[in-house]
């Protein structure tokens, strides 16, 4: 075959130049878009870092103020140990014992020791008086920022702070119920009794308040309708439960988001309480949740509906009767 004529080569050159120019333009546009996205991402990262630095500075200032207010209250071991205590206080560190209280891998409890108590090897693992802290949804061990200060104050009154991890802790609350939580708390209390505890004071935080109410309901039921062994155990446990704090009790039903409302609607139409709410309804990143827990959290008179403002006095009295009878408190 004959080589292409100069004229044909010349005529095709402009088309090549046009295609080349378009490729360069597209490549440049893609680079600019990528650079813009990278800049936005970098800006967000820097903004997040700035917020973290501000939070850390505020936490350090609060810790310093807290140390000034309570200087001399903590056990002082002198010298370097005093400096170590200040360092621990600023970092919100806690000393204590971590152990299991049940068969599940989630069943863990942390028992705080008094300042300097970790140096006392002859101290009893579990003091006679324990204050058990029960967190809310997404909480667990170290689930609230005030726990170190609470532990220090309790030790001044000869109480040890006990934090428990339950099957529903952190992001597992959608798979479990208040009844599961009550069972876990009861199991933890029995373990503490085995280790030498004699009296309990329970502190509920957020949904932890519902947990304590459900525990009271369960103990009252077992004392009246359980087996003879259950009746004896429930009566003994109620005698050891000296009081309760309901700190920040809330109504999840009165804080319904659009996703929660859609999830409730789906759950009410489902014939299977163990069915999972689809991700497309709850949204990506939301903890998995069964229809049973959705109805408990967000329906009127659901299992979690203890503190809604539209409950009548009679409804509220019935809701709180169990914990009132279990602790001897009056509402």
């Amino acid at each position: 075959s004959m080589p292409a004529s100069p004229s044909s080569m010349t005529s095709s050159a402009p088309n090549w130049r046009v295609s080349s120019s378009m490729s360069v333009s597209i490549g440049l546009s893609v680079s600019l878009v990528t650079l813009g996205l990278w800049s936005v991402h970098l800006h967000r990262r820097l903004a997040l870092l700035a917020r973290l630095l501000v939070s850390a500075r505020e936490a350090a200032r609060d810790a310093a103020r807290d140390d000034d207010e309570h200087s001399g209250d903590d056990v002082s071991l002198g010298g370097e140990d005093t400096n170590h205590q200040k360092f621990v206080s600023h970092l919100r560190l806690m000393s204590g014992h971590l152990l299991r209280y049940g068969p599940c891998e989630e069943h863990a409890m942390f028992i705080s020791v008094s300042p300097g108590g970790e140096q006392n090897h002859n101290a009893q693992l579990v003091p006679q008086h324990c204050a058990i802290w029960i967190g809310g949804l997404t909480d667990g061990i170290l689930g609230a920022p005030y726990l170190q200060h609470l532990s220090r104050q309790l030790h001044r009154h000869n109480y040890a702070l006990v934090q428990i991890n339950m099957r529903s802790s952190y992001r597992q609350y959608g798979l479990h119920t208040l009844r599961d939580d009550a069972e876990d708390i009861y199991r933890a209390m029995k373990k503490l009794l085995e280790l030498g505890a004699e009296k309990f004071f329970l502190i509920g935080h957020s949904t932890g308040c519902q947990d304590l109410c459900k525990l009271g309901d369960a103990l009252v039921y077992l004392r009246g309708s359980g087996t003879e062994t259950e009746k004896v155990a429930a009566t003994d446990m109620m005698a050891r439960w000296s009081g309760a704090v309901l700190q920040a009790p809330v109504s999840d039903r009165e804080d319904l988001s659009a996703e929660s409302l859609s999830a409730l609607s789906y759950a009410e139409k489902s014939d299977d309480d163990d069915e999972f709410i689809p991700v497309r309804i709850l949204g990506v990143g939301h903890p998995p949740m069964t229809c049973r827990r959705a109805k408990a959290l967000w329906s009127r008179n659901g299992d979690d509906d203890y503190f809604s403002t539209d409950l009548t006095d009679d409804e509220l009295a019935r809701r709180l009767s169990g914990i009132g009878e279990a602790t001897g408190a009056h509402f």
Side-chain angles (χ1 to χ4, degrees):
S1 60
M2 296 295 292
S5 64
S7 60
S8 62
M9 293 177 62
T10 303
S11 62
S12 62
N15 294 330
W16 178 86
R17 285 195 296 270
V18 171
S19 300
S20 177
S21 299
M22 291 178 62
S23 299
V24 171
S25 299
I26 293 174
L28 181 60
S29 299
V30 171
S31 299
L32 290 174
V33 170
T34 303
L35 180 61
L37 293 175
W38 183 85
S39 299
V40 172
H41 179 71
L42 178 61
H43 176 74
R44 289 176 177 174
R45 290 288 183 179
L46 290 175
L48 176 60
L49 178 60
R51 288 197 297 270
L52 290 174
L53 290 174
V54 170
S55 298
R57 186 161 54 247
E58 291 177 349
R61 185 171 59 249
D62 292 342
R65 183 169 58 250
D66 187 59
D67 288 341
D68 292 338
E69 292 175 354
H70 302 285
S71 59
D73 290 340
D74 292 335
V75 176
S76 176
L77 302 179
E80 294 182 358
D81 290 323
T82 302
N83 294 329
H84 174 71
Q85 288 177 7
K86 291 182 178 180
F87 176 74
V88 167
S89 180
H90 281 293
L91 290 184
R92 294 291 195 261
L93 298 180
M94 300 178 71
S95 298
H97 307 287
L98 183 66
L99 62 149
R100 289 195 180 279
Y101 66 87
C104 300
E105 60 182 11
E106 297 92 348
H107 288 153
M109 69 166 63
F110 183 80
I111 306 170
S112 300
V113 298
S114 61
E118 66 273 14
Q119 307 294 331
N120 186 358
H121 300 291
N122 296 320
Q124 185 177 342
L125 175 63
V126 178
Q128 293 181 338
H129 299 93
C130 295
I132 305 176
W133 185 83
I134 309 298
L137 303 184
T138 73
D139 287 333
I141 293 175
L142 295 179
Y146 57 77
L147 290 174
Q148 186 202 40
H149 181 67
L150 176 61
S151 176
R152 184 166 59 236
Q153 296 296 329
L154 286 169
H155 279 297
R156 293 177 182 140
H157 297 278
N158 299 316
Y159 270 82
L161 176 65
V162 179
Q163 305 171 57
I164 70 171
N165 201 67
M166 303 180 291
R167 285 170 287 173
S168 65
S169 293
Y170 302 114
R171 295 176 60 82
Q172 305 303 312
Y173 67 87
L175 308 179
H176 298 279
T177 64
L178 294 184
R179 180 175 179 175
D180 295 333
D181 292 349
E183 290 176 355
D184 289 347
I185 298 168
Y186 184 69
R187 184 178 282 111
M189 294 169 74
K190 290 175 61 178
K191 182 66 174 180
L192 289 170
L193 287 177
E194 295 173 4
L195 296 174
E198 295 183 2
K199 286 286 187 179
F200 303 103
F201 199 96
L202 274 64
I203 305 170
H205 171 86
S206 189
T207 302
C209 299
Q210 281 95 323
D211 286 335
L212 299 192
C213 293
K214 181 60 70 173
L215 175 63
D217 294 340
L219 289 176
V220 170
Y221 173 81
L222 291 175
R223 187 182 64 174
S225 303
T227 64
E228 288 304 315
T229 301
E230 290 173 338
K231 289 180 179 179
V232 172
T235 301
D236 178 66
M237 192 65 77
M238 290 168 65
R240 297 177 184 273
W241 187 0
S242 59
V245 172
L246 304 182
Q247 196 272 324
V250 296
S251 168
D252 292 284
R253 177 168 64 85
E254 293 183 332
D255 190 31
L256 274 175
S257 64
E259 292 80 8
S260 301
L261 191 59
S262 298
L264 175 60
S265 177
Y266 183 92
E268 290 175 337
K269 296 175 182 177
S270 175
D271 296 327
D272 184 6
D273 281 345
D274 292 323
E275 180 184 359
F276 285 93
I277 305 292
V279 175
R280 60 179 172 79
I281 294 178
L282 284 174
V284 176
H286 194 285
M289 180 173 291
T290 63
C291 291
R292 176 181 288 104
R293 194 59 196 268
K295 289 188 287 187
L297 283 169
W298 299 317
S299 62
R300 194 180 195 287
N301 286 323
D303 203 34
D304 288 61
D305 193 21
Y306 277 82
F307 303 108
S308 295
T309 57
D310 62 351
L311 294 178
T312 66
D313 289 345
D314 289 340
E315 288 174 327
L316 188 59
R318 285 195 298 271
R319 283 296 199 178
L320 299 178
S321 62
I323 188 174
E325 188 172 345
T327 61
H330 299 281
F331 295 93

